[in-house]
């Protein structure tokens, strides 16, 4: 599976999150052979749970595994520090990022610490986040832990 194909799975999840009234961030975790292990989207708004980011939802959906070496996390947006910590904690090897223009989380730190990081600068991911931020700035600032 190519990086763009992996990102497409994450984008489908981001659209699901947006369409259900939440923040349009999606992610998917792929095994070493490119097989889909889990996918999910940010559900902080829908579930009232601040820990359910796109990456954590995908990770949880993948279930318990002996090792995460050789895996790839595809995400529509640069992962925040919380999700970057998850990648490092569990040894996820690669992160494919849709965009880092609207938010630049911990992806540079991940790269500095041995995680392969690919930023695709996908126009749809940028447009989805720009529209969401313009329409719902209060939710956006809450999600990233900023005052706005």
């Amino acid at each position: 599976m190519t990086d763009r194909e992996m990102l497409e799975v994450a984008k489908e999840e981001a659209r699901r999150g947006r369409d259900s009234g939440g923040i349009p961030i999606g992610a998917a975790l792929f095994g070493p052979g490119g097989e889909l292990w889990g996918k999910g989207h940010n559900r902080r708004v829908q579930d009232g749970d601040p820990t359910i980011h796109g990456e954590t939802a995908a990770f949880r959906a993948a279930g318990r595994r002996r090792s995460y070496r050789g895996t790839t996390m595809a995400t529509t947006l640069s992962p925040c520090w919380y999700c970057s910590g998850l990648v490092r904690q569990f040894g996820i090897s690669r992160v494919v990022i849709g965009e880092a223009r609207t938010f630049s989380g911990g992806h540079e730190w991940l790269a500095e610490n041995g995680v392969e990081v690919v930023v695709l600068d996908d126009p749809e991911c940028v447009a989805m986040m720009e529209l969401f931020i313009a329409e719902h700035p209060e939710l956006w600032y809450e999600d990233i832990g900023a005052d706005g």
Side-chain angles (χ1 to χ4, degrees):
M1 191 170 250
T2 69
D3 290 347
R4 292 251 174 224
E5 290 170 329
M6 290 181 190
L7 179 61
E8 191 55 43
V9 176
K11 285 167 48 174
E12 288 172 17
E13 285 296 315
R15 291 182 210 108
R16 287 173 112 177
R18 176 198 63 203
D19 295 348
S20 64
I23 300 163
I25 303 170
L29 183 63
F30 295 87
E35 64 282 6
L36 178 63
W37 280 8
K39 60 185 179 175
H41 55 272
N42 185 303
R43 294 192 328 262
R44 295 180 77 249
V45 173
Q46 299 92 321
D47 294 2
D49 182 343
T51 68
I52 304 182
H53 291 202
E55 297 88 344
T56 58
F59 184 75
R60 289 174 180 172
R64 183 177 167 198
R65 306 284 176 150
R66 179 161 168 55
S67 173
Y68 297 89
R69 285 197 182 96
T71 61
T72 299
M73 178 71 77
T75 180
T76 57
L77 185 64
S78 176
C80 69
W81 287 107
Y82 169 59
C83 295
S84 294
L86 179 142
V87 167
R88 287 270 299 156
Q89 173 72 29
F90 291 96
I92 294 169
S93 301
R94 298 180 73 238
V95 178
V96 173
I97 299 167
E99 68 105 346
R101 282 196 238 171
T102 60
F103 178 75
S104 184
H107 71 272
E108 290 178 359
W109 173 76
L110 288 171
E112 290 167 4
N113 286 280
V115 176
E116 181 185 346
V117 174
V118 177
V119 181
L120 296 176
D121 200 29
D122 182 82
E124 183 184 0
C125 290
V126 174
M128 225 181 328
M129 285 310 303
E130 285 179 342
L131 181 61
F132 178 80
I133 292 166
E135 291 180 347
H136 306 284
E138 70 292 340
L139 282 178
W140 171 242
Y141 291 121
E142 176 189 324
D143 190 63
I144 62 172
D147 292 330

